[in-house]
Each structure stands twice: as structure tokens, then as C-alpha cells.
Amino acid sequence: MKKLCAFTISFLSLKFSLILCCLTEASCFWRIKNSEDSDGDLQRECHFYLWVIDKPIEDNFYNSVLNFRISASEYEFLLVMFFATDEINKNPYLLPNITLIFSIVGGHCHDLLRGLDQSYTQINGRVNFVNYFCYLDDSCNIGLTGPSWKKSLKLAMDSSIPMVFFGPFNPNLRDHDRLPHVHQVAPKDTHLSHGMVSLMFHFRWTWIGLVISDDDQGIQFLSDLREESQRHGICLAFVNMIPENMQIYMTRATIYDKQIMTSSAKVVIIYGEMNSTLEVSFRRWEDLGARRIWITTSQWDIILNKKEFTLNLFHGPITFAHHKVEIPKLRNFMQTMNTAKYPVDISHTILEWNYFNCSISKNSSKMDLFTSNNTLEWTALHNYDMAMSDEGYNLYNAVYVAAHTYHEHILQQVESQKKVEHNRYFTVCQQVSSLMKTRVFTNPVGELVNMKHRENQCTEYDIFIIWNFPQGLGLKLKIGSYIPCFPKSQQLHISDDLEWAMGGTSPQVPSSVCSVACTAGFRKIYQKETADCCFDCVQCPENEVSNETDIEQCVKCPDDKYANIEQTYCLSRAVSFLAFEEPLGMALGCMALSFSAITILVLVTFVKYKNTPIVKANNRILSYILLISLVFCFLCSLLFIGHPDQVTCILQQTTFGVFFTVSVSTVLAKTITVVMAFKFTTPGRRMRGMLVTGAPKLVIPICTLIQLVLCGIWLVTSPPFIDRDIQSEHGKVVILCNKGSVIAFHIVLGYLGSLALGSFTLAFLARNLPDTFNEAKFLTFSMLVFCSVWITFLPVYHSTRGKVMVVVEVFSILASSAGLLMCIFVPKCYVILVRPDSNFTKNRKGKLLY
């Protein structure tokens, strides 16, 4: 077990070393969790104030004045004050021959006043107190307050000396009418909401929660965030406005808890002050085990009390902090601080201070190493870096604002050669306050501090994330930055070293969405009465595509293209038609040619045996006309095969209609001839003369002429044309002939049907007339086949599309033509060729006639 523990510790050490070696950002540092305050307070706040004297101070001045214990949260500010005043007093170009000193007052430090009285007596011999702020008769003190705006506001209302607030910018302190002497050194978070939304948009977090303080600042942030979120398609899953009153909060606490625990939003923005009901809520959610990605500001730069160890990149809060330049001299100052000059008794507070990167348990025996004499020596020995908070950096700048203000004020006094009267204290402070609001200077680390435009500054933000480690340890890592002054595409920068820092593996970014993104080939359908981020994904309609995610409307492919199976892009369609090369076209073409050849052979046979009774008895001229028209009927089907063009499209319908009219009208003429031959052959009758003169043959040109007129009207009004069918075959565009006028097409078919029906009726009536070669039965059966084919054709034709529709029409032409040929002429050919002994007639004397 010991070996296993040793191996685990060694592995983790190597892992940590890899991470620390990979992270080149200077803002990566270790921290200790501030789990509790020894006195039970969330934060204790003391306020500083500055003044100048014209002589050096004694080395033990601060030890005699600050002989008390302060809270951990104030210790960083105290060190910053020591460092900044020491740096200024050593600068020969800023306040030369003048000493800048400070003291601390407020909060739990009221017992300090007695020490201050003694210190002022030691320096100048007299001191006055105004609202807990002490000042010298011939100078104006400058107060430095923060980071809580509420306490600072209360203090400012009770005082009239110039005050610099070093906490986060707060609109409640910018009332220049009521608080003309209050100045803020922190820049306004004008672009904070833009930066947070840009970060969420970068990681595709579109479903977020928002927790804010129920005050003017929180409401303004909500308005800015909502406007920016809508612009980027980000939705708020919930908005919890935490009331400032504790009693009101406790009545709603369970509602807030349920809201955040049950919401599907994995990313939650927190905006508001620490040491408030908002922090109480956060602590409750921490105890309830709410695992969320918290996005907040630097003042919420805390480490969650988690015992498990993880290297998940997004396991911890993400904070936005104002970009600040490192102060390299600060570390050297801490390591070389003169303990005789500055009070350094931090043995009881170093473990609670958030900004030391060391880890020692309170119950550890190493506590014995900490004494008032060796604390800084121990810290310097272990080479621990110092990471300054936003408030600490603002305090550093605030001290320099005061120094530059004093410097300018003294220069003006020298130039005017005037000495301010002792009783003109408030006038001096007004002058100092007026000078302070116009200060523009560059601090020692090279950053421009402009007190004129702190509200409209283009503030750069650093983005940090905190990794949790066992025993409250955490690693704070800079993962990017946001610079609103840059072009929009360059404002947000996320570090490229994240994958390297994770040990070579790609970091898994958690998802926070209401609905999973619709992939390519699908489109969004918004759900009713829900946010725009909540939607269903449905596949694109037929022949429409989408090649991006979260598309609301699919794009239809052009007619010459079609959608692939996934419906992500369009493919070019292959051109298709009923070609002679394909099996079906070849088969139909061969059938048409074969039937044409057979029909020609039958015609030749009839011509050869034209003088036989069977040929003569059935009006051989009409038989010749019928056979020739059938040849053309078979051949016109070839017009439907092959690549269509405008000429073939017109010829298809006209030749079909005309030749079939000739065929059917010929059958009608033969039927009329049969009927007239038996019904009207009495000698002397007029009908006999008509039969002899060939009057039935006039039926053919009359019926054909009517069909020609109908076809002519069709071609004039709405002729057939080339059409493209993209529906019948997937991935193909079928080239075919459109009928043009469907009504005209059906009129032509109807006319043919009426002729066929008339022929069928007459033939049926004459089927039983006595005669050896009476063909009325064959004519009846042929018309029955013809009508059956075309009656069947209509529903089948209208239920098919593309090439199949063409095939149906060709097959119907061949079938009906073949039906006429087989039913009328096959029996006669059989008699002529196979049964020649039956091809004779008897005269009235009983002799055989051939």
C-alpha cells in the first residue's frame, strides 16, 4: 500500500510538473481556499487614507501605528500599501523631498484611532478628526476605500475629503452632484457582457443560467447580457434575481435551489458582490452538489471545496478579470521587506489568505515554523510567487493617483507662490479633488491610468479558469483574453496551449444546450412557447439539402441535380430516356419491327392470292388499306423510343392518331360492307348500287379528315413539347414528351374509341349472317381486343411516371395493332396457306369456284 501511495504521489508530481512547464502564462499560480474566517465574518474591511509630510518618517512608525491583527482579506491591501508608498517615496521624480504615508481606519479597526493620535503627535504635534478621517492643517488627506461599495458610500456621505474607490466600478458612486469628491480607479465593465457572450458563443454554450443581485447594477447587466445574447443566438434558461434582504431571500431560497438544480443549463453566469445573499446562495448550491460551469468576475475568484482530483479543463469557475501588468518588484519587496519598519505578524492569517500559493494544514506541525520573525523569510525561501487581485491592483493605482495629485497640487502652489491658509482645509480638498479627476499618467509597470475616461475605457479582460486539486488546492490558469477594441473576429482569444497543458489530449468541452444541434441534412422546427434555443430536428424535405448545422430552412436542389441519401449536398442527375440501347427499348423496338415485317408478309400474301375467294369476299382493297395502316401503326411506336426532340414529340401523337384512325375506320368500312352485303342486296335496291360503287370506302377519308382536324387544333393551341421528369427516378432526369394539352390527347383517344365502339357494334350485329367467308366475328373480336387494350391503358398510363409511362403507351400501340392483325388476318392466312382446300365457293349449280 505504501508503494502504491508513493507511486501515485510521484505520478501526480510529474503530471503537475508537466502542466507547470507547459503553462507559460505568468498568471498561473497556486492558491489556498479561504474556507472560513476565524472570527466568523465573511469579510472585514478597513479603509486607508494618505497624506504627505515634508520629512522622513521613523522606521518604527507603522509598527507603532498598526499594532493590531487584521483579517486575511485585508492583508493583501496592507502589503500593497506598504509596497506602493515605499516605491513612491524612493522615486526622486515623484513627490521629491516629500514623504507619502498612510494609515488605516474603519470596519473592526476603530481601536486604531488611539494609535493614530499618538503617531500624529509624534510627527507634527497636532491632529484634527473629521468623520474618522484625520488631516493636517496645511494639507488634504485622500481616502482609499473598498472593495465594498456600500460601506464606501456610507463613508463618503459622512465625509467631504477626496476619496478613491478601489473596488469594482459601481454606478452608485458616480453621482457627481451628491458625491463630487468620490473617484473610481477601476474601469467600468461596459464590455463585460460582450466578453462573456463571446466566450459562450466560442464554446457553443447556447443554454445558460443567470444569477444576479436584485439591484440597479444587476438589472443593467441583465439588460446588456440579454441584448448581446439575442444577437448571438444564446438563450437564458432561467434568471435568478437574488434579493439583498436576507429575510426575503430565505423565503425564496428553496425556489432558487430547485431552479438551478433541475435546470438543464450547465453554464451559469454569476454577477454581483461577494459578502451578500448572492454568496450565500452560491454556498448553498455548493453544498447541494451543483456541478456547473460558473462564469463570473474576478471578485468571485474562489476555489470550490471539492475533495476529488480531476484534470477536466472545465471543472471549476471561469472568471473575467481586468488585464493588469505584473509588478515584478513586488515579489522582491516581500522577500526583502524590512521587518523592523513594517509589521509582518501574519502567522495567524497567512493560511487564510487567498493569494499565497502554498498549502499547509491548520493542524500541521509545520505551523510551528511560522513566527512573526521568520514568516517572510520562510516565504522567500520557498520562492512562492504573489498574484495580485483586481482590487489590489486598483489599490496600487489608487495610491499613484493620490501621489500624482499631490505632486501636481504642490507644483501649482510653487508656481503661484501662494501658501494655503490654515483655515482653508475644504478649499484645498476641493482643489485636490478637482485635480484628481483629470490625472493621466503611466504607472511604473507601463500601464496608462486615465482618470478622465474610466467609464468609457476599452477595457481588456483576462479569462481565467481554476482547476481543483485535493485538500482545497487549486491552479489558476489564464485560458484567453477579450479585447473589445480589436476587430470583432479578433476580440476573443483562446490560448492554443490548452491541449498541451492537458498532457497532449484534446480537452473535452462540456455542452450546455437546450436542444442538440441539428446536423447536416436536418432543419430546425421551433417548439411552441419555448425559447429559440429549444427546437426539434427533422429531415429536410425530398430533394432539399442542408450542409451546415442548425439550419432553419433547407435549400432545394436545382432541377438538374438531386440530394444525396444524407441530404447534405446536391449531385448531378444522369439523363435518362427510353433508349434503343437498353433492354426494354431494344425489346419494344424489335417487337415493332417484327410485327411490321409480319404485316408486310401478310400484305404480300394477300396480293399474291388476291383472286382467291377469301380475299375477294372480304373486299381486298380495304384489306390492303388496313394492312398498310397497321404497318405504319407498328412503325410509329419507334418514335417513342430514343432521345426525344421537338419534331419527334409532335410526330408521336399525330402519326399515332392518324394511322390508328385509318386502321379503325377501315375496320368500320369493312363492317359496313358486310352489313350492306347481306341486308341491302335485293335487286333494284339503291343500296346495292352504293355497294357496287364502293360507297363504304368513303368512311376512311371522312373519319381520317376529322382526326386530322382535331390534331391540327391540338398542334395550334397546345402542341407537345420536350419535358424533364425529376420525380420518377431517383438521381435521374427523364427526358420525355409532354402531351401539351391533356384534353386534346383525350379527345383524340375518345374519337378513336367512338370509331372502335361503332365498328364493334355493327360487327356484333352481323356476326351471325350466313356466309362462308363472313368476317364479322373476327371484326367483332378484334374491336373487343382493341377497346380492352385502350380502356386498360388509361388508368395504367395515369398511374405511372417517366419511362414507364412511355413504355405503357408503346406497349398499348403494339398490343392494339397486333390484336387487329391477329384477329382479322391470321385466320385468313391460315386458310390461304394451310387449308387451301377450303378457299373456294359453290355456284348455284353446285360447281366449285376457285
Side-chain angles (χ1 to χ4, degrees), residues 287-359:
D287 294 336
L288 292 173
R291 295 178 63 88
R292 299 291 185 271
I293 300 173
W294 310 102
I295 299 179
T296 183
T297 55
S298 59
Q299 59 180 319
W300 287 82
D301 190 6
I302 57 177
I303 295 180
L304 304 181
N305 189 17
K306 300 295 182 184
K307 299 299 182 183
E308 68 270 14
F309 170 70
T310 176
L311 277 179
N312 185 348
L313 178 63
F314 292 95
H315 183 68
I318 298 176
T319 60
F320 277 73
H322 294 128
H323 176 73
K324 50 185 178 292
V325 185
E326 284 188 48
I327 307 177
K329 294 182 179 180
L330 178 60
R331 178 181 175 183
N332 181 67
F333 174 79
M334 290 182 58
Q335 293 176 343
T336 60
M337 185 184 296
N338 185 358
T339 57
K341 185 176 181 180
Y342 300 107
V344 290
D345 185 6
I346 57 173
S347 59
H348 296 287
T349 58
I350 191 172
L351 296 178
E352 301 171 4
W353 185 26
N354 285 347
Y355 297 90
F356 259 93
N357 52 354
C358 55
S359 176

Side-chain angles (χ1 to χ4, degrees), residues 228 268 270 288 321 333 344 421 450 573 618 625 668 670 742 749 782:
E228 193 68 18
V268 179
I270 297 180
L288 292 173
F333 174 79
V344 290
E421 300 178 6
N450 188 347
R573 293 180 182 272
N618 294 292
I625 294 173
L668 179 60
K670 290 174 72 67
V742 179
L749 285 182
S782 67

Side-chain angles (χ1 to χ4, degrees), residues 4-22 30 309 311 469-470 473 475 501:
L4 178 61
C5 293
F7 174 78
T8 303
I9 294 172
S10 301
F11 172 77
L12 294 178
S13 299
L14 290 174
K15 186 70 176 180
F16 297 161
S17 301
L18 175 62
I19 295 173
L20 291 174
C21 290
C22 295
W30 292 99
F309 170 70
L311 277 179
F469 293 93
L473 267 177
L475 182 65

Side-chain angles (χ1 to χ4, degrees), residues 692-709:
V692 173
T693 58
K697 296 183 180 68
L698 295 175
V699 173
I700 299 173
I702 293 173
C703 293
T704 304
L705 183 61
I706 295 174
Q707 186 68 285
L708 286 173
V709 172

Side-chain angles (χ1 to χ4, degrees), residues 96-116:
N97 301 320
I98 300 294
T99 302
L100 181 67
I101 58 177
F102 76 93
S103 194
I104 185 170
V105 70
H108 290 264
C109 305
H110 297 305
D111 55 344
L112 174 65
L113 294 177
R114 183 176 59 256
L116 290 179

Side-chain angles (χ1 to χ4, degrees), residues 437-618:
K437 68 174 62 175
T438 60
R439 290 304 90 210
V440 178
F441 62 91
T442 301
N443 66 11
V445 292
E447 182 186 12
L448 179 68
V449 180
N450 188 347
M451 294 298 291
K452 294 181 180 180
H453 306 291
R454 302 306 281 177
E455 297 186 23
N456 301 318
Q457 265 189 316
C458 183
T459 307
E460 178 181 350
Y461 292 94
D462 291 331
I463 306 174
F464 295 93
I465 193 168
I466 299 174
W467 286 347
N468 295 321
F469 293 93
Q471 304 300 324
L473 267 177
L475 182 65
K476 185 177 180 182
L477 170 69
K478 180 179 178 181
I479 63 172
S481 60
Y482 178 76
I483 308 175
C485 296
F486 282 10
K488 193 170 184 180
S489 59
Q490 303 174 13
Q491 290 176 349
L492 180 69
H493 171 72
I494 300 299
S495 176
D496 296 330
D497 297 332
L498 291 181
E499 182 174 337
W500 188 23
M502 290 299 295
T505 60
S506 180
Q508 297 296 323
V509 180
S511 175
S512 183
V513 295
C514 180
S515 300
V516 179
C518 295
T519 58
F522 290 82
R523 64 187 179 96
K524 298 192 297 184
I525 294 183
Y526 292 105
Q527 302 172 2
K528 294 183 179 179
E529 299 181 355
T530 58
D532 291 343
C533 299
C534 301
F535 50 83
D536 297 321
C537 296
V538 296
Q539 195 164 16
C540 290
E542 186 179 358
N543 206 39
E544 293 187 9
V545 297
S546 65
N547 55 6
E548 299 179 5
T549 58
D550 286 343
I551 293 296
E552 297 183 11
Q553 191 66 40
C554 299
V555 179
K556 189 175 182 179
C557 291
D559 290 343
D560 59 341
K561 295 186 178 182
Y562 70 100
N564 64 335
I565 298 177
E566 294 80 13
Q567 293 185 265
T568 55
Y569 55 88
C570 296
L571 300 173
S572 296
R573 293 180 182 272
V575 177
S576 177
F577 52 88
L578 185 60
F580 287 104
E581 293 78 10
E582 59 181 284
L584 190 56
M586 187 178 295
L588 293 174
C590 291
M591 288 175 61
L593 294 175
S594 299
F595 280 121
S596 299
I598 292 172
T599 306
I600 293 173
L601 290 176
V602 172
L603 178 61
V604 172
T605 302
F606 267 56
V607 172
K608 181 178 181 181
Y609 295 96
K610 62 182 177 180
N611 294 320
T612 59
I614 194 169
V615 176
K616 294 168 62 178
N618 294 292

Side-chain angles (χ1 to χ4, degrees), residues 593-659:
L593 294 175
S594 299
F595 280 121
S596 299
I598 292 172
T599 306
I600 293 173
L601 290 176
V602 172
L603 178 61
V604 172
T605 302
F606 267 56
V607 172
K608 181 178 181 181
Y609 295 96
K610 62 182 177 180
N611 294 320
T612 59
I614 194 169
V615 176
K616 294 168 62 178
N618 294 292
N619 198 329
R620 57 189 174 191
I621 299 299
L622 292 179
S623 296
Y624 295 160
I625 294 173
L626 179 58
L627 286 170
I628 293 172
S629 64
L630 285 177
V631 171
F632 284 103
C633 286
F634 285 122
L635 293 177
C636 79
S637 64
L638 297 177
L639 295 173
F640 292 84
I641 305 174
H643 194 292
D645 53 37
Q646 189 63 34
V647 175
T648 56
C649 286
I650 294 176
L651 290 177
Q652 282 178 6
Q653 308 306 325
T654 55
T655 55
F656 158 72
V658 171
F659 289 129

